[in-house]
Amino acid sequence: MASILDEYEDSQNTRQSAQQRNRLSGANIGITHSGFVNVRLEEEKPIFNKQRIDFSPPEKINHLAVCNNQLCLSLGKDTLLRIDLAKPDQPNQIELGRKDDGKVYRLFLDPTGSHLLISLSTSECLYLNRNTQKVRSLSRWRGHLIESVGWNKLLGNETSTGPILVGTSQGIIFEAEISATEGSLFNTNPDQYFRQVHSLEEDGKPAPVCCLEVERGLENKYFIIATTRKRLFQFVGKVAEGSEQQGFSSIFNQNQELLPSFQEFPADMGYSEITFYTSKLRSSPKAFAWMMGNGVLYGQLDSVRPDSLLSDVQVWEYTPDIDLSLKKPISIVLTQFHFLLLLDDRVKAICTLNGQVVYEDVFPDKFGTLKKMIKDPVGGLVWIYTERAVFRYHIQRESRDVWQMYMSMNKFDLAKEYCRDRPECMDMVLAKEAEHCFQNKRYLESAKCYALTQNYFEEIALKFIEAKQEEALKEFLLKKLNNLKQSERTQITLLVTWLTELYLNRLGQLESDGNSIIFQETRDEFRQFLNSSKHKECLFNNRSTIYDLLASHGNVDDMVYFSVVMQDYERVISHYCQHDDYSAALEVLSKHCDQKLFYKFSPVLMQHIPKKVVDAWIQMGKRLDPKKLIPALMNYSQMGSTQQITETIRYMEFCVYELNVTEEAIHNYLLSLYAKYRPDSLLLYLEQAGTHASEIHYDLKYALRLCAEHGYLRACVLVYRIMELYEEAVDLALQVDVDLAKSCADLPDDDEELRKKLWLKIARHVVQEEKDVKKAMNCLSSCNLLKIEDILPFFPDFVTIDHFKEAICNSLEEYNQHIEELKQEMEEATESAKRIREDIQEMRNKYGVVDSQEKCAACDFPLLNRPFYLFLCGHMFHYDCLFQEVSPHLSTYKQTRLEELQKKLTATMQSSKSRHRPAPKDEGDTSSLGKGNAGTSREQIKSDIDDIIAAECVYCGELIIKSIDKPFIDPQKFEDEKLSWL
């Protein structure tokens, strides 16, 4: 349970930490207002948090050493207490067993916490290993009062220290090595060797070696720092690789030829102490702090410098409350940003950045005078002890307020580095940096920093406007724009519009000044801004405003560029057309391949550059609809230019022959162009277009009218032939060429009467118009339908028979041959009828024998039970069984016919049964007559049914063979049949 004094002490610490925070927050006054609200949900813990160890020593504490969580205390005269901080409830107490008056002078613990050196006031030294309880004397060390030890961090382990350096009160530096393993029979000492390597002096006299530090740098380079009361020595040398075990003698030998490098201060307080800060375990120290008579010398350690290891050295002079004659500082410990100074009743923390005291902790008198302060280089804890108590300091988040110090020193990069994870602090640093740059007229840098802050946008913008710094304002707006989210559309629109205006003003100013290089760079920057993908949506939505701004400044080139970026090609093409730059307009049109723009601008372009336009159309191919280009083509083809007409025909031919366009309008238009300008190509086109109406893509009636208007008779004949108007074709062909008419007359192959009529027309024309008997005879030979008697009426009376003698003889011979063929056919028919009658008579006399045990081939029941059929092949069927077998294989017509016959048969049978009463005598003849007619009718019906179902055997006949490709189950009934099986 804590005492009242302890509670008072804790309250004092809390108050001091609160005062410290208030001092730091007070430094923020004057900084531009930030948009961040700094709300802390809980009170921050102080950086230096003191804790008293719950430990009541049985005797007074003389000395304390701690390293790697191993705590060693010297109690009273002869007691040593070892505590493993991982197991604080299991302390290990060892008695030194000294009977003389020797007291413990100093304790030295290596970085591993395994090797403890106990320096006695009798100039003796003892050794204790962590794994043993036996204290061993170092005989070679006797006679030397040990003041300091430089441990070997590279080679030291739990069993051996490796080569180490030992400093004495007489200024001698020894090199030694201690091994924890048991020695041989003749050598039981743990110290392997102990030899002098150097000695230090002050004012020509030996001076105690207060501190020793050994560090290894790059390329096997070693640094040794040794201090006396007012001197700091540096020894630098290289050790051959693999020879580290041989010790440090070579380093001191390398420095023998030169005077040792050291720094000396005039003041002397009888002792000094040096401490180092190492960021990571087993790495080289980064900074040092040396407590000596003039103050505290602190700085950085730079192993790269050739002349000295120390850099950025400063001296912090002791404050007036530290009187070296009465209240000397006792110990010093260095952390990352502070060094702690131990006085007899308090601890002071001084920031190494500005030399200010940031923390002061006063210890109550009840604990006694403070004796020593030690830092565990491995654990990072700071330990302080008095004769009756042990304290430790936890250092937490030491760098959290460093950013303010760097900011006050105008070291903004370092300040930002240490508040990277605290946006409210980062904002303050950026604001201070921006203000600093603005005051130093570094406006561009100031704008970049201001853009990253949450300061009021309007104030910053007005600042740059009042300073007439448009470039800085533009830079600020650009950075601010890039930092906005896509959801902040209003802000983005405002900035984009404003930046556009600034760019345009700048371009106009540069153009008027004639500075072409900067003008081009600014234009490239402006176009890059317009082409920004991040703000494309905003530029697109506000493109009309941007167009108005560009137009107001008369910036035509950038307006065209912006139109291309926005894919507003219609505006670009319109601009080129208005300035008569039709080739550029067509280039844009061809590059972006927009069909709608082709349809819109082709009329204008066709008027001026028809060949290039048609080339572009052809390159577009099927992506264009030729039908939509016809109005422009027709307009200029009627107006007159030969080049335009030629290019129009070229494109139409490309559509018809290359693209295989089937649109009727395209073919009709090409026909009209051929008819008007290229008659030679008209007939060729009609012949290639096809000879049947189904193959034709143009309007036949329109083509006929077009050819008739221009008097192209052959083309008209060709159209008539396609329309199958053969009489008109022959009539028109006779006006041109008889051979053409003959070719038309032979076309109706399936209508001999029409062919004969057409050939008669040709013959009449030859006889009456040309009066050429020989040609008329050729007509007879060309058409086998014409006879001499068909064309004789066309000849005039004065024509003699000599002209027809040969034709008449040929005709008579043909008639005679025909008569002979008819006679032969009649004889063959008579002979065939005779054979048929004989076969019928023979069939009537055939019969078959049916046994009483015979069965129906379909149902396998006795055959004689019901009416049956007997076939010549031997198969026998009941009437009804045969009916069922044959019906599915009959055609639809026969099935319908069979149903009608069955209905008629049923009706005749019912009418015969209804006559059950006897007839009168006078009516007997009539009744008999009617009965006879009914019987005759039934027999005829049965005969017709037999002709259908019993025409052939259902198993051996042709009917079943034809049904071999039919499925067993009707496809329409397959699903029902399948479901019935499930």
Side-chain angles (χ1 to χ4, degrees):
M1 182 173 178
S3 66
I4 297 176
L5 290 176
D6 293 338
E7 293 178 359
Y8 171 76
E9 179 187 357
D10 294 339
S11 66
Q12 287 293 102
N13 292 336
T14 304
R15 186 178 304 169
Q16 290 174 4
S17 62
Q19 292 175 356
Q20 177 187 357
R21 288 194 299 273
N22 292 335
R23 287 198 305 270
L24 292 174
S25 61
N28 299 334
I29 298 174
I31 297 178
T32 312
H33 182 270
S34 173
F36 283 100
V37 178
N38 190 4
V39 178
R40 302 195 183 276
L41 300 181
E42 59 182 12
E43 187 178 357
E44 284 189 350
K45 295 181 180 179
I47 295 176
F48 304 100
N49 185 17
K50 183 179 71 173
Q51 181 184 9
R52 181 187 174 190
I53 303 301
D54 187 11
F55 169 66
S56 298
E59 299 181 69
K60 292 182 180 181
I61 302 174
N62 298 322
H63 295 278
L64 180 145
V66 61
C67 197
N68 198 17
N69 284 336
Q70 298 296 318
L71 181 65
C72 297
L73 298 97
S74 172
L75 305 176
K77 178 183 178 182
D78 203 32
T79 304
L80 190 66
L81 187 65
R82 294 188 300 184
I83 301 175
D84 187 350
L85 296 177
K87 305 172 184 178
D89 54 343
Q90 300 176 8
N92 181 17
Q93 185 171 333
I94 299 174
E95 299 296 331
L96 298 181
R98 303 291 297 182
K99 297 180 181 180
D100 53 13
D101 295 333
K103 297 181 182 179
V104 175
Y105 179 67
R106 287 182 185 274
L107 294 180
F108 304 99
L109 191 61
D110 79 311
T112 66
S114 302
H115 308 282
L116 176 65
L117 293 177
I118 306 167
S119 176
L120 301 178
S121 58
T122 58
S123 298
E124 292 182 74
C125 193
L126 305 179
Y127 169 72
L128 179 64
N129 189 270
R130 183 170 63 180
N131 299 324
T132 65
Q133 297 289 328
K134 183 180 179 181
V135 178
R136 305 171 71 182
S137 175
L138 302 178
S139 58
R140 291 189 177 93
W141 297 39
R142 188 174 292 120
H144 300 284
L145 184 61
I146 306 303
E147 291 281 352
S148 59
V149 176
W151 297 104
N152 194 325
K153 301 180 182 65
L154 179 66
L155 300 178
N157 53 47
E158 293 184 0
T159 59
S160 175
T161 61
I164 61 174
L165 294 178
V166 179
T168 69
S169 59
Q170 298 300 317
I172 303 173
I173 299 177
F174 290 92
E175 182 181 327
E177 182 176 358
I178 300 174
S179 177
T181 59
E182 292 293 336
S184 63
L185 180 62
F186 301 102
N187 184 16
T188 59
N189 293 330
D191 50 334
Q192 302 296 311
Y193 62 89
F194 191 75
R195 58 173 174 261
Q196 180 178 346
V197 292
H198 198 70
S199 61
L200 302 180
E201 293 182 352
E202 280 184 0
D203 302 327
K205 298 179 182 180
V209 183
C210 298
C211 297
L212 276 174
E213 183 74 14
V214 180
E215 296 295 340
R216 180 187 177 187
L218 301 175
E219 299 177 355
N220 288 340
K221 193 175 183 181
Y222 278 83
F223 307 91
I224 299 173
I225 296 177
T227 64
T228 60
R229 290 166 297 191
K230 57 180 183 179
R231 285 188 179 184
L232 188 149
F233 294 86
Q234 302 178 55
F235 300 92
V236 182
K238 285 189 177 182
V239 176
E241 188 174 359
S243 61
E244 292 89 348
Q245 195 67 41
Q246 298 177 4
F248 307 104
S249 302
S250 60
I251 299 175
F252 289 100
N253 293 332
Q254 292 174 25
N255 289 268
Q256 288 294 335
E257 300 177 0
L258 302 174
L259 291 175
S261 174
F262 67 89
Q263 285 188 329
E264 182 177 1
F265 292 87
D268 178 10
M269 61 180 182
Y271 59 90
S272 69
E273 184 173 324
I274 191 168
T275 179
F276 298 89
Y277 168 72
T278 304
S279 59
K280 295 180 182 180
L281 185 62
R282 294 188 178 275
S283 62
S284 298
K286 304 296 182 184
F288 77 97
W290 182 33
M291 182 186 71
M292 41 80 182
N294 287 64
V296 176
L297 178 72
Y298 59 89
Q300 306 297 314
L301 296 177
D302 188 359
S303 60
V304 179
R305 294 181 61 184
D307 54 344
S308 174
L309 184 64
L310 312 180
S311 66
D312 299 332
V313 177
Q314 304 177 50
V315 176
W316 180 78
E317 297 181 356
Y318 297 125
T319 54
D321 60 333
I322 302 176
D323 187 358
L324 296 182
S325 61
L326 300 175
K327 188 188 294 185
K328 296 179 181 180
I330 301 171
S331 295
I332 188 170
V333 166
L334 181 63
T335 63
Q336 185 177 7
F337 296 105
H338 303 85
F339 60 84
L340 301 177
L341 203 62
L342 181 68
L343 304 176
D344 57 353
D345 63 344
R346 68 191 62 199
V347 172
K348 286 188 176 185
I350 297 93
C351 179
T352 58
L353 299 177
N354 54 16
Q356 298 295 321
V357 178
V358 296
Y359 174 77
E360 187 169 354
D361 187 11
V362 180
F363 285 75
D365 295 337
K366 66 172 185 173
F367 300 121
T369 305
L370 301 181
K371 301 190 68 174
K372 193 73 172 177
M373 179 170 58
I374 302 169
K375 180 183 177 183
D376 185 349
V378 178
L381 298 178
V382 177
W383 297 79
I384 298 176
Y385 68 94
T386 67
E387 290 182 350
R388 295 186 295 274
V390 178
F391 302 88
R392 65 181 175 189
Y393 279 95
H394 289 271
I395 302 175
Q396 300 175 340
R397 295 183 62 195
E398 185 182 4
S399 62
R400 68 186 179 197
D401 297 323
V402 170
W403 63 272
Q404 290 184 326
M405 301 175 190
Y406 279 128
M407 182 177 68
S408 63
M409 298 164 62
N410 293 335
K411 295 182 178 181
F412 301 109
D413 292 338
L414 291 173
K416 287 184 282 187
E417 184 68 29
Y418 286 100
C419 63
R420 191 171 299 278
D421 56 343
R422 300 171 65 184
E424 72 280 2
C425 301
M426 178 68 78
D427 189 73
M428 295 171 65
V429 174
L430 289 170
K432 182 70 180 296
E433 183 181 7
E435 183 66 26
H436 177 75
C437 293
F438 191 89
Q439 292 175 357
N440 289 285
K441 297 185 179 181
R442 291 152 48 194
Y443 297 109
L444 287 178
E445 297 178 23
S446 176
K448 292 177 182 178
C449 292
Y450 269 130
L452 299 175
T453 67
Q454 298 296 320
N455 291 17
Y456 293 129
F457 173 83
E458 299 85 351
E459 293 180 2
I460 300 170
L462 286 172
K463 228 178 182 184
F464 288 114
I465 292 173
E466 290 173 358
K468 296 182 180 180
Q469 296 295 323
E470 287 192 2
E471 282 297 315
L473 177 61
K474 182 186 69 177
E475 188 68 28
F476 170 70
L477 296 179
L478 282 172
K479 291 289 183 182
K480 206 70 177 176
L481 179 63
N482 291 330
N483 293 334
L484 290 176
K485 300 177 181 177
Q486 291 296 328
S487 58
E488 299 173 314
R489 297 186 177 181
T490 304
Q491 293 88 331
I492 292 175
T493 303
L494 171 66
L495 293 180
V496 166
T497 309
W498 195 352
L499 281 166
T500 303
E501 180 68 27
L502 289 176
Y503 271 117
L504 291 173
N505 287 337
R506 180 63 175 163
L507 287 172
Q509 182 181 356
L510 291 172
E511 190 175 13
S512 61
D513 294 344
N515 196 334
S516 59
I517 298 176
I518 301 179
F519 173 79
Q520 189 60 42
E521 292 177 355
T522 308
R523 167 167 282 182
D524 294 340
E525 185 181 346
F526 178 46
R527 291 188 174 184
Q528 187 177 359
F529 169 74
L530 295 177
N531 200 18
S532 173
S533 58
K534 186 176 180 180
H535 314 300
K536 187 174 183 179
E537 181 181 358
C538 175
L539 290 167
F540 182 80
N541 294 334
N542 299 278
R543 59 187 184 279
S544 59
T545 304
I546 305 297
Y547 283 135
D548 293 340
L549 287 174
L550 291 166
S552 65
H553 285 266
N555 197 331
V556 178
D557 294 337
D558 289 323
M559 184 175 68
V560 171
Y561 178 83
F562 181 67
S563 302
V564 174
V565 171
M566 292 291 103
Q567 297 184 356
D568 192 359
Y569 305 120
E570 183 176 353
R571 183 182 293 268
V572 179
I573 298 170
S574 299
H575 167 76
Y576 284 132
C577 291
Q578 291 172 3
H579 291 78
D580 297 336
D581 194 353
Y582 302 104
S583 298
L586 181 61
E587 184 179 353
V588 175
L589 199 60
S590 303
K591 182 178 181 180
H592 300 287
C593 304
D594 191 339
Q595 295 92 333
K596 294 181 180 179
L597 296 181
F598 265 102
Y599 302 144
K600 180 174 182 179
F601 291 99
S602 287
V604 177
L605 299 176
M606 190 69 185
Q607 183 179 1
H608 297 88
I609 47 173
K611 186 178 185 306
K612 292 183 178 180
V613 173
V614 171
D615 290 339
W617 288 349
I618 292 175
Q619 188 176 2
M620 285 288 288
K622 292 185 177 181
R623 286 177 287 181
L624 288 179
D625 185 1
K627 187 170 62 175
K628 295 182 180 180
L629 297 171
I630 288 179
L633 294 173
M634 293 184 66
N635 182 23
Y636 295 112
S637 64
Q638 293 172 1
M639 288 177 62
S641 170
T642 304
Q643 185 182 9
Q644 292 168 354
I645 294 169
T646 303
E647 296 303 324
T648 301
I649 294 175
R650 181 164 72 95
Y651 181 66
M652 289 292 101
E653 288 177 343
F654 171 76
C655 295
V656 171
Y657 297 120
E658 299 293 335
L659 299 182
N660 298 320
V661 175
T662 58
E663 290 286 343
E664 186 177 277
I666 300 297
H667 289 264
N668 289 343
Y669 184 44
L670 181 60
L671 266 176
S672 65
L673 292 174
Y674 279 153
K676 190 172 182 180
Y677 302 107
R678 291 188 182 177
D680 296 340
S681 302
L682 177 62
L683 190 60
L684 180 62
Y685 166 77
L686 293 173
E687 290 175 352
Q688 292 180 351
T691 57
H692 297 285
S694 60
E695 303 173 355
I696 303 303
H697 300 301
Y698 56 85
D699 188 350
L700 288 169
K701 295 181 180 179
Y702 174 74
L704 183 62
R705 179 173 63 83
L706 202 63
C707 295
E709 285 179 357
H710 292 83
Y712 303 137
L713 298 183
R714 284 185 176 273
C716 291
V717 171
L718 184 57
V719 176
Y720 275 134
R721 289 172 58 175
I722 297 171
M723 296 173 69
E724 297 184 357
L725 299 176
Y726 301 116
E727 290 189 39
E728 290 81 351
V730 170
D731 291 341
L732 192 60
L734 289 175
Q735 301 179 21
V736 180
D737 188 6
V738 175
D739 293 333
L740 181 60
K742 289 180 179 181
S743 63
C744 296
D746 283 333
L747 291 176
D749 295 333
D750 53 348
D751 192 348
E752 292 186 354
E753 184 178 351
L754 178 60
R755 283 180 60 202
K756 185 175 181 180
K757 182 178 179 182
L758 297 177
W759 276 103
L760 285 174
K761 282 190 175 187
I762 295 172
R764 178 184 296 173
H765 174 79
V766 171
V767 173
Q768 294 180 354
E769 299 296 331
E770 298 185 4
K771 296 179 182 180
D772 191 342
V773 178
K774 190 174 181 181
K775 279 189 178 182
M777 294 301 101
N778 290 336
C779 289
L780 290 177
S781 60
S782 299
C783 180
N784 55 1
L785 300 178
L786 291 182
K787 306 297 180 185
I788 186 62
E789 57 270 25
D790 296 329
I791 64 172
L792 281 177
F794 301 149
F795 288 97
D797 297 338
F798 59 84
V799 178
T800 61
I801 198 171
D802 293 339
H803 296 87
F804 310 107
K805 178 178 180 180
E806 184 178 353
I808 292 173
C809 291
N810 292 335
S811 180
L812 292 175
E813 288 180 359
E814 288 179 2
Y815 285 138
N816 186 26
Q817 185 178 356
H818 185 59
I819 291 171
E820 291 296 329
E821 290 175 355
L822 291 176
K823 285 182 180 181
Q824 186 176 354
E825 290 178 359
M826 290 173 64
E827 290 177 357
E828 291 177 355
T830 304
E831 185 65 24
S832 178
K834 181 179 178 182
R835 290 197 198 98
I836 290 172
R837 283 194 295 270
E838 291 176 354
D839 290 342
I840 291 173
Q841 189 64 31
E842 185 179 355
M843 290 295 295
R844 285 178 179 175
N845 297 330
K846 282 189 177 182
Y847 63 91
V849 178
V850 178
D851 193 359
S852 61
Q853 297 179 352
E854 292 291 343
K855 295 181 180 181
C856 175
C859 66
D860 206 26
F861 281 93
L863 188 68
L864 300 179
N865 290 348
R866 301 195 300 274
F868 64 89
Y869 290 96
L870 173 63
F871 291 95
L872 293 177
C873 60
H875 289 113
M876 292 169 279
F877 301 90
H878 288 128
Y879 169 77
D880 53 347
C881 293
L882 183 63
F883 185 87
Q884 291 179 358
E885 291 288 336
V886 173
S887 295
H889 302 291
L890 295 176
S891 63
T892 305
Y893 169 74
K894 287 188 177 183
Q895 287 180 354
T896 305
R897 174 65 178 162
L898 188 58
E899 290 175 1
E900 292 176 355
L901 292 173
Q902 282 184 313
K903 290 178 182 179
K904 288 181 180 180
L905 180 61
T906 304
T908 54
M909 291 177 67
Q910 289 177 355
S911 64
S912 64
K913 289 180 181 180
S914 65
R915 298 188 186 94
H916 58 276
R917 59 179 182 173
K921 290 183 180 180
D922 55 351
E923 294 177 359
D925 296 339
T926 307
S927 177
S928 301
L929 181 60
K931 182 178 180 182
N933 292 336
T936 305
S937 179
R938 276 199 305 274
E939 293 298 329
Q940 182 63 39
I941 292 171
K942 287 182 178 180
S943 177
D944 293 340
I945 291 173
D946 290 343
D947 290 341
I948 294 174
I949 67 173
E952 58 183 358
C953 176
V954 71
Y955 288 169
C956 304
E958 186 179 358
L959 190 64
I960 196 69
I961 296 173
K962 289 182 178 180
S963 66
I964 192 171
D965 58 343
K966 293 182 180 179
F968 292 108
I969 301 175
D970 188 356
Q972 297 179 355
K973 301 179 181 179
F974 177 75
E975 291 297 329
D976 297 338
E977 186 69 22
K978 184 174 71 172
L979 293 174
S980 66
W981 281 71
L982 298 176

